[in-house]
Amino acid sequence: MHAKTPEESRTIMTDLVLPSETNPLNNLFGGELLARMDRAASIAARRHSRRIVVTASVNHVAFNKAVPLGSVVTVEANVSRAFKSSMEIYIDVWVEDRESGTRSKANEAIYTFVAVDETGTPVKIPALEPETDLEKERFAAALRRKQLSLVLAGKMKPGEATELKALFENS
Ligand SMILES: CC(C)(COP(=O)(O)OP(=O)(O)OC[C@H]1O[C@@H](n2cnc3c(N)ncnc32)[C@H](O)[C@@H]1OP(=O)(O)O)[C@@H](O)C(=O)NCCC(=O)NCCS
């Protein structure tokens, strides 16, 4: 199984914000954005693994900027690290200015997907080879985030989270 680059599975989805997708302040409803991010992330995970993929966890979501009705929203999903059967997917959300066309970062999120077979059993996936500085930075921090997610899910004992311990010992 040969390693793949993030570029090979990068998924970019652009869509409008319609009235039925907004909250009472006429901004994009958070759940709608979560669904759009989940969709883009699942496609990136599927492209990387070429298997059935399921969302295992939403590790982090930051709704930093409201996204107004009528906005053009781009959701970009990149595989930031591949483990044995799980993948961390980093999602950047951009909003396009109507007049200038300039894109500004609105939100970001980190999801974990697991590749499974037809019975739902996790299967092995290709490794990820980061290329750019940003890809390398996200790759390096992904193991720490995986351990934190597993600790929060009760699937790993805090004492076994070596990357988290190292973080506190070095600060
Ligand atoms: C995700 C799922 C396949 C994991 O099954 P599991 O029995 O925990 O399997 P494992 O313990 O072998 O874990 C499989 C991988 O997922 C990772 N994983 C599991 N839970 C995780 C979590 N909360 N955060 C991060 N990674 C997680 C494990 O670390 C392991 O990674 P690795 O193989 O790359 O080392 C299973 O829980 C599932 O099918 N969940 C439902 C998924 C779903 O329906 N999603 C849609 C939500 S509506």
Side-chain angles (χ1 to χ4, degrees), residues 110-124:
I110 302 171
Y111 283 56
T112 298
F113 278 76
V114 177
V116 296
D117 65 14
E118 282 67 17
T119 67
T121 307
V123 290
K124 210 168 164 356

Side-chain angles (χ1 to χ4, degrees), residues 1-12 40 43-50 76-80 87 89 126-132 135:
M1 213 179 283
H2 76 281
K4 292 184 177 177
T5 64
E7 193 182 5
E8 289 177 76
S9 53
R10 180 166 302 138
T11 301
I12 300 174
I43 295 170
R46 189 164 139 161
R47 284 177 172 162
H48 180 81
S49 63
R50 292 289 164 208
E76 179 176 331
N78 285 289
V79 179
S80 38
M87 289 153 274
I89 317 290
L128 185 86
E129 254 173 27
E131 293 182 311
T132 67
E135 288 166 2

Side-chain angles (χ1 to χ4, degrees), residues 54-57 83-86 112 114 116 120 122 146 149-150 153 155:
V54 293
T55 316
S57 85
F83 297 94
K84 285 202 281 291
S85 65
S86 66
T112 298
V114 177
V116 296
K146 177 180 165 79
S149 178
L150 289 171
K155 295 180 173 179

Side-chain angles (χ1 to χ4, degrees), residues 8-24:
E8 289 177 76
S9 53
R10 180 166 302 138
T11 301
I12 300 174
M13 287 173 32
T14 301
D15 203 354
L16 277 171
V17 176
L18 297 174
S20 63
E21 296 159 347
T22 58
N23 64 21

Side-chain angles (χ1 to χ4, degrees), residues 19-156:
S20 63
E21 296 159 347
T22 58
N23 64 21
L25 291 172
N26 278 336
N27 293 320
L28 180 61
F29 178 57
E32 170 62 26
L33 184 57
L34 287 173
R36 290 187 191 191
M37 294 192 295
D38 195 32
R39 249 177 244 136
S42 77
I43 295 170
R46 189 164 139 161
R47 284 177 172 162
H48 180 81
S49 63
R50 292 289 164 208
R51 304 298 299 235
I52 299 167
V53 295
V54 293
T55 316
S57 85
V58 179
N59 304 38
H60 165 78
V61 186
F63 294 118
N64 294 322
K65 241 173 99 176
V67 180
L69 173 65
S71 298
V72 171
V73 180
T74 298
V75 175
E76 179 176 331
N78 285 289
V79 179
S80 38
R81 187 152 175 173
F83 297 94
K84 285 202 281 291
S85 65
S86 66
M87 289 153 274
E88 183 189 82
I89 317 290
Y90 215 107
I91 300 142
D92 298 292
V93 180
W94 308 88
V95 176
E96 193 175 304
D97 183 77
R98 187 169 48 216
E99 288 174 10
S100 67
T102 314
R103 289 190 332 165
S104 58
K105 178 90 174 272
N107 296 305
E108 65 178 31
I110 302 171
Y111 283 56
T112 298
F113 278 76
V114 177
V116 296
D117 65 14
E118 282 67 17
T119 67
T121 307
V123 290
K124 210 168 164 356
I125 54 169
L128 185 86
E129 254 173 27
E131 293 182 311
T132 67
D133 287 348
L134 180 62
E135 288 166 2
K136 287 175 187 164
E137 192 184 298
R138 289 178 172 181
F139 180 96
L143 179 57
R144 185 166 73 227
R145 289 190 290 264
K146 177 180 165 79
Q147 291 187 348
L148 178 61
S149 178
L150 289 171
V151 169
L152 291 175
K155 295 180 173 179
M156 178 181 262

